[in-house]
Amino acid sequence: MKIATWNVNSINARMHAVIEWLKTTNPDVVCLQEIKTIDETFPRLEIETLGYNIETHGQKSYNGVAILSKYPIEEVKTKLPGDDNDEQSRYIEAIIAGPKKLFRVASIYLPNGNPVFDENGIFTKKYEYKLNWMRRLKDHVAILLNDELPTVLAGDYNVIPGNKDVYDYKSWIGDAAFRKETHFHWRSLLNLGLTEAFEQMDNRPGQYTFWDYQRGAWQNNHGIRIDHILLSAQAADTIIDLVIDKNVRDGIKPSDHVPVIGTFDL
DNA sequence: ATGGTCGTCCCACGA
């Protein structure tokens, strides 16, 4: 069972790359982020032709998440609890009826949070929104873990976990992805008992999932590791492999993120 | 030393 996450930075702009990648990689489940379209204009047909069921939680111009699955998708939820005024489409979870058992998957697009400070030196609404979103995610995941269903929480977390996950950590210390407050909430989430798939399976320094379009970041390997697969104990017990598919960053009209793919005995 | 990106949807804004 291959379960992947990929921030595509617009599904409609990325269709050529996405279709090529689906054909060559043949994942069973894909968590997409930044589809940047409403549900009605998601390019369903071409993806369904490749054998996928599709659930989307879209938004005009910004954000938007989706789950693709070769197996039936059940019990879809698109609201992260804790803020009734939150209009941003950043979360979708579902139960997948896999060949061996049921498991849960969530596609997560955690807020970027920059800029951190306003002109008066206090936290911006954007950074407060990020921190609050992380609190809400932790509270919700705590509830999800109660039913002991294998759970795979995959997405663009906009969090650089440690110094080894960025090309030059000193230049990132003030960034919303690397601040101490962000790291505090990240550890708090993991301390629920989640396993970071990359840390369990690989753990090498310099393994990145995002390279900015600007300043020749890809050519200079100025990357950061911000796309993650977090696992409940029941899912972590079944992981066999974890791959960052960095080759696609070299393709035609690439996303600035590359897929992260976990293989599971599920 | 400096400028250098992309997507959305037409204008800046978000990343």
Side-chain angles (χ1 to χ4, degrees):
Chain A
M1 176 70 58
K2 279 158 80 170
I3 304 176
T5 178
W6 193 8
N7 178 325
V8 290
N9 186 19
S10 170
I11 185 65
N12 283 304
R14 211 62 59 213
M15 268 311 267
H16 175 77
V18 168
I19 293 296
E20 282 299 303
W21 179 79
L22 288 174
K23 284 180 178 172
T24 55
T25 308
N26 198 31
D28 297 285
V29 177
V30 185
C31 297
L32 298 175
Q33 300 89 36
E34 276 205 275
I35 62 173
K36 288 189 170 179
T37 187
I38 56 176
D39 297 338
E40 291 74 14
T41 46
F42 188 95
R44 300 185 67 92
L45 282 178
E46 267 189 279
I47 294 172
E48 284 171 343
T49 299
L50 298 179
Y52 291 96
N53 302 297
I54 302 171
E55 291 290 338
T56 62
H57 180 38
Q59 183 180 332
K60 184 179 169 67
S61 302
Y62 302 112
N63 311 315
V65 287
I67 296 173
L68 319 178
S69 172
K70 296 206 164 181
Y71 298 98
I73 306 177
E74 302 169 356
E75 295 186 44
V76 178
K77 293 179 187 165
T78 59
K79 284 287 180 191
L80 184 64
D83 182 359
D84 293 338
N85 297 320
D86 188 356
E87 301 288 326
Q88 301 189 30
S89 299
R90 295 178 173 276
Y91 184 84
I92 184 170
E93 70 173 60
I95 308 288
I96 307 289
K100 292 187 177 176
K101 60 175 88 170
L102 296 176
F103 59 91
R104 179 186 289 111
V105 168
S107 181
I108 287 164
Y109 181 40
L110 205 146
N112 176 296
N114 286 309
V116 172
F117 293 111
D118 69 11
E119 64 276 11
N120 299 316
I122 61 171
F123 283 161
T124 60
K125 283 192 165 61
K126 286 185 175 179
Y127 191 55
E128 292 285 9
Y129 176 65
K130 177 177 193 150
L131 295 180
N132 197 42
W133 209 96
M134 295 181 84
R135 287 184 203 103
R136 291 164 59 197
L137 181 63
K138 183 202 170 186
D139 289 346
H140 183 57
V141 170
I143 292 164
L144 293 184
L145 294 179
N146 286 335
D147 66 13
E148 302 191 358
L149 213 55
T151 295
V152 178
L153 307 167
D156 175 2
Y157 282 79
N158 272 309
V159 174
I160 303 166
N163 297 358
K164 77 176 197 316
D165 303 310
V166 51
Y167 65 98
D168 174 21
Y169 79 89
K170 285 179 182 165
S171 66
W172 283 80
I173 286 171
D175 191 275
F178 202 66
R179 297 185 57 79
K180 63 180 190 296
E181 295 87 352
T182 303
H183 283 150
F184 176 90
H185 284 90
W186 174 251
R187 286 194 302 274
S188 177
L189 176 63
L190 289 171
N191 286 342
L192 292 172
L194 298 174
T195 295
E196 215 227 283
F198 177 85
E199 292 298 329
Q200 174 159 312
M201 303 302 294
D202 188 324
N203 196 34
R204 289 171 297 161
Q207 301 303 298
Y208 308 135
T209 66
F210 170 92
W211 295 260
D212 202 294
Y213 289 124
Q214 300 184 66
R215 294 176 295 272
W218 169 243
Q219 289 73 16
N220 295 307
N221 197 26
H222 288 175
I224 56 178
R225 194 172 69 86
I226 56 176
D227 299 271
H228 306 298
I229 300 179
L230 304 189
L231 305 171
S232 73
Q234 293 78 9
D237 285 347
T238 72
I239 190 166
I240 297 162
D241 195 18
L242 190 285
V243 171
I244 299 173
D245 199 354
K246 68 186 279 189
N247 289 332
V248 298
R249 189 64 179 79
D250 252 337
I252 299 162
K253 285 236 300 177
S255 171
D256 41 8
H257 296 250
V258 297
V260 181
I261 310 162
T263 304
F264 300 86
D265 182 24
L266 276 173

